């Protein structure tokens, strides 16, 4: 860090350090928010699968939530394990559908409530921007795009806010007055 700091232009070093600090705070907020989403999802899956009566429902549910930090893959892995256990355990189609319903509920909760609210709040982005970032990242870069969409959008948000602040304080903005 000291080596990179020595490369900064001296007249702009404080500004660059300040922006790097904001980016660090934003990315830390992302990690904390995503961790909270994973724990809440784990609890939701664990309780839901236990209520349905799935053997090892607590373990499968909580581990599914913890692995859900990898978008889609974590849920699909848990869904596969949960459905495998459900098919082996239950004779009734209704019970198997209820297990699938728990995972569907978890996905809806994650995509429309938890991630936009918990992660979006931590990174300073509106929930609509979070959803847009995930869709755009997935469409443009596939799985890797979904993984990196929110952190990259958060960094862009920090930089755009800085440049907007600089512009509003500049003579370019107030020149016409």
């Amino acid at each position: 860090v000291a080596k990179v700091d020595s490369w900064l232009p001296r007249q702009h070093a404080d500004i660059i350090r300040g922006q790097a600090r904001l980016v660090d705070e934003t990315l830390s907020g992302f990690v904390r928010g995503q961790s909270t989403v994973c724990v809440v999802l784990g609890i939701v899956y664990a309780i839901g699968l236990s209520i349905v009566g799935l053997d090892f429902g607590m373990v499968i549910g909580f581990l599914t939530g913890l692995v859900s930090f990898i978008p889609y893959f974590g849920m699909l892995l848990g869904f596969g394990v949960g459905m495998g256990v459900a098919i082996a355990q239950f004779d009734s189609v209704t019970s198997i559908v209820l297990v699938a319903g728990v995972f569907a509920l978890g996905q809806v909760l994650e995509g429309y409530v938890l991630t936009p609210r918990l992660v979006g709040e931590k990174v300073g982005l509106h929930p609509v921007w979070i959803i847009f970032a995930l869709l755009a990242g997935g469409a443009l870069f596939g799985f890797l795009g979904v993984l990196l969409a929110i952190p990259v959008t958060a960094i862009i948000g920090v930089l755009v806010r800085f440049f907007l602040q600089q512009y509003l304080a500049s003579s370019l903005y107030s020149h016409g007055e």
Side-chain angles (χ1 to χ4, degrees):
V1 172
K3 185 69 170 171
V4 172
D5 190 62
S6 71
W7 297 336
L8 298 177
R10 296 295 101 197
Q11 68 272 23
H12 301 296
D14 288 337
I15 294 171
I16 295 170
R17 283 187 206 115
Q19 293 308 301
R21 224 173 286 113
L22 285 174
V23 167
D24 180 54
E25 289 171 12
T26 301
L27 293 179
S28 298
F30 167 74
V31 170
R32 282 191 303 277
Q34 191 63 40
S35 299
T36 304
V37 168
C38 290
V39 169
V40 170
L41 271 180
I43 292 168
V44 167
Y45 286 139
I47 291 172
L49 293 175
S50 294
I51 288 172
V52 170
L54 185 69
D55 289 343
F56 308 108
M58 280 286 217
V59 175
I60 293 169
F62 196 69
L63 291 177
T64 299
L66 293 182
V67 179
S68 68
F69 70 89
I70 304 171
Y72 304 114
F73 175 76
M75 193 283 301
L76 287 175
L77 181 66
F79 180 77
V81 171
M83 290 304 290
V85 171
I87 290 169
Q89 176 184 343
F90 299 121
D91 294 330
S92 147
V93 174
T94 305
S95 297
I96 295 170
V97 169
L98 287 174
V99 169
V102 169
F103 285 102
L105 174 69
Q107 279 300 284
V108 169
L109 189 64
E110 177 189 12
Y112 292 103
V113 178
L114 295 176
T115 298
R117 299 248 184 250
L118 296 176
V119 177
E121 266 180 25
K122 303 282 187 202
V123 297
L125 294 171
H126 191 276
V128 172
W129 282 111
I130 296 290
I131 293 169
F132 175 75
L134 290 169
L135 291 173
L140 294 173
F141 302 107
F143 181 69
L144 183 63
V146 171
L147 282 176
L148 298 176
I150 297 174
V152 168
T153 304
I155 292 169
I156 291 170
V158 167
L159 297 176
V160 166
R161 284 188 290 272
F162 170 74
F163 288 122
L164 183 61
Q165 178 186 24
Q166 294 298 307
Y167 167 70
L168 294 175
S170 75
S171 63
L172 282 173
Y173 177 71
S174 62
H175 184 66
E177 293 178 15

